[in-house]
Amino acid sequence: MESDSETKHVHVIVEGRVQAVGFRYFTWQTARELKITGWVRNRDDGSVEIEAEGKTDAVNTFVNQIKKGSPFSKVRHVDVQVYKHSGHFSTFEIRDMY
């Protein structure tokens, strides 16, 4: 069982109606509230990509909120890969599309 002092890193791909609906801002705001670090960006294929780190409980809550989506989005599929916490990020930012 994980304690809330343990950390977690996730790489997330979100598919559905998630571009041009405020989804990146929603993601940024949710991360900020939960003290999650990392980034979010749109992808060429219409999906959104997220790298996020933080306390395990906070990251789990974050992923659940992402699965629900923002008020104007429609999340169809979420792929989550879990990695060891890297500590590479100090803030959460919205990045440009790659």
Side-chain angles (χ1 to χ4, degrees), residues 28-59:
W28 173 82
Q29 188 174 35
T30 303
R32 197 168 161 201
E33 290 170 3
L34 294 168
K35 296 181 173 69
I36 301 291
T37 59
W39 52 263
V40 59
R41 69 179 169 197
N42 287 340
R43 293 170 31 124
D44 289 341
D45 64 2
S47 66
V48 169
E49 181 177 20
I50 304 164
E51 288 279 343
E53 296 185 330
K55 293 193 178 208
T56 299
D57 289 347
V59 172

Side-chain angles (χ1 to χ4, degrees), residues 9-40:
H9 177 116
V10 293
H11 179 256
V12 183
I13 303 294
V14 186
E15 297 173 343
R17 189 176 66 209
V18 291
Q19 290 191 13
V21 293
F23 190 81
R24 288 182 302 158
Y25 178 77
F26 162 79
T27 301
W28 173 82
Q29 188 174 35
T30 303
R32 197 168 161 201
E33 290 170 3
L34 294 168
K35 296 181 173 69
I36 301 291
T37 59
W39 52 263
V40 59

Side-chain angles (χ1 to χ4, degrees), residues 33-95:
E33 290 170 3
L34 294 168
K35 296 181 173 69
I36 301 291
T37 59
W39 52 263
V40 59
R41 69 179 169 197
N42 287 340
R43 293 170 31 124
D44 289 341
D45 64 2
S47 66
V48 169
E49 181 177 20
I50 304 164
E51 288 279 343
E53 296 185 330
K55 293 193 178 208
T56 299
D57 289 347
V59 172
N60 291 342
T61 299
F62 175 77
V63 170
N64 286 334
Q65 291 297 326
I66 295 306
K67 288 177 178 179
K68 292 177 186 175
S70 63
F72 299 106
S73 67
K74 183 169 176 76
V75 174
R76 185 172 37 89
H77 178 75
V78 178
D79 180 55
V80 180
Q81 299 293 318
V82 179
Y83 301 97
K84 288 185 180 178
H85 182 77
S86 69
H88 289 262
F89 310 111
S90 59
T91 62
F92 195 92
E93 64 185 38
I94 297 173
R95 293 188 174 174

